[in-house]
Amino acid sequence: CTCVEAAIRNKHPALTLLLLQNISKEALEQTPPRPLALFTLLVEERWLDLCHLLLDRVPQIDARAILSTLRARCYRLALRLIQTCTHDSVTAVSSTHNRTLLHRLALNPPDDLQPLVASELIRLNVPLNAVDDFGCSALHYATYNGSSSLFNFFTNFPSSDLLVNSPDLWGRTVFAHALWADDPKSRDHVEIVRSITAKDSNPNRLMPFPSPLIVTFIFIIHILLSL
């Protein structure tokens, strides 16, 4: 591995800083690992100042770097990255189970910066209604996690045509995800349920509420069938 990579992996932030300040842009771009790999390592260590320094040296990094910032919930860093990316590069990024960047964002715990990140991703044509291998949209996950600010952003986004009654692989709608959550009585979930009822959601639709063991079993079967 390169000196920069070794410094990061051995948790030497001061040495990493020194190397990033003195290595040429050409060397960063041409010497393995590429800037994407170095950036991902820095995000994993949560050395955010060094992430910004790398972006100063190499302004355009592969759009897949956004995924690492969303996983780490480094939203201000994600916003800076998104500003440097093109429509095509961002829409092409997907994580496991065919999840878009909006899925990845909605899978995180609630945060006030999530709507701003979502707005930028949608501006770059990341589809709001896209579903993953489990039939879930970003709205399903935002609802389940009690992200009321993200839920409200999705449902009030101009020109959005959200299908709140669209079921996932197990037949659960957005309404069911709100009630199936770990803490459906939380204030955020109660607010979400109230909002769903005002969005023409059908509360009388029958749907299964399997036990966690059954969900795990179905999940494993689905993974095996997809191999």
Side-chain angles (χ1 to χ4, degrees), residues 15 18 22 46 65 67 89-90 109 112 131 154 174-175 186 214 227:
L15 180 57
L18 180 65
N22 290 280
R46 300 192 70 82
L67 192 58
S89 64
V90 172
D112 290 340
V131 296
F154 285 155
V174 172
F175 205 137
S186 69
I214 294 176
L227 294 178

Side-chain angles (χ1 to χ4, degrees), residues 168-207:
D168 64 11
L169 192 65
W170 294 281
R172 296 187 303 268
T173 63
V174 172
F175 205 137
H177 274 255
L179 300 175
W180 189 55
D182 292 334
D183 187 14
K185 295 181 180 179
S186 69
R187 187 172 69 176
D188 284 331
H189 276 102
V190 170
E191 180 184 338
I192 287 174
V193 169
R194 286 174 179 164
S195 298
I196 293 174
T197 56
K199 300 292 181 183
D200 297 325
S201 179
N202 181 9
N204 296 317
R205 179 170 181 158
L206 296 177
M207 59 201 70

Side-chain angles (χ1 to χ4, degrees), residues 35-52 54-55 61-85 90 93 95 101-102 104-109 111 113-114 117-118 120-121:
L36 172 62
L38 291 177
F39 184 85
T40 302
L41 289 173
L42 290 171
V43 172
E44 289 173 354
E45 294 295 336
R46 300 192 70 82
W47 295 348
L48 302 186
D49 289 343
L50 295 182
C51 290
H52 285 287
L54 181 58
L55 288 176
I61 293 181
D62 192 305
R64 287 174 293 175
I66 300 171
L67 192 58
S68 64
T69 63
L70 296 183
R71 285 186 178 130
R73 291 176 256 166
C74 300
Y75 297 128
R76 296 191 185 280
L77 188 58
L79 287 168
R80 181 178 179 185
L81 271 173
I82 293 169
Q83 295 294 330
T84 68
C85 296
V90 172
V93 177
S95 60
L101 292 174
L102 281 175
R104 182 59 261 176
L105 178 67
L107 282 164
N108 289 343
D111 188 284
L113 283 176
Q114 285 175 316
V117 177
E120 289 299 300
L121 292 175

Side-chain angles (χ1 to χ4, degrees), residues 22 35 72 103 113 132 151:
N22 290 280
H103 281 109
L113 283 176
D132 62 11
F151 172 89

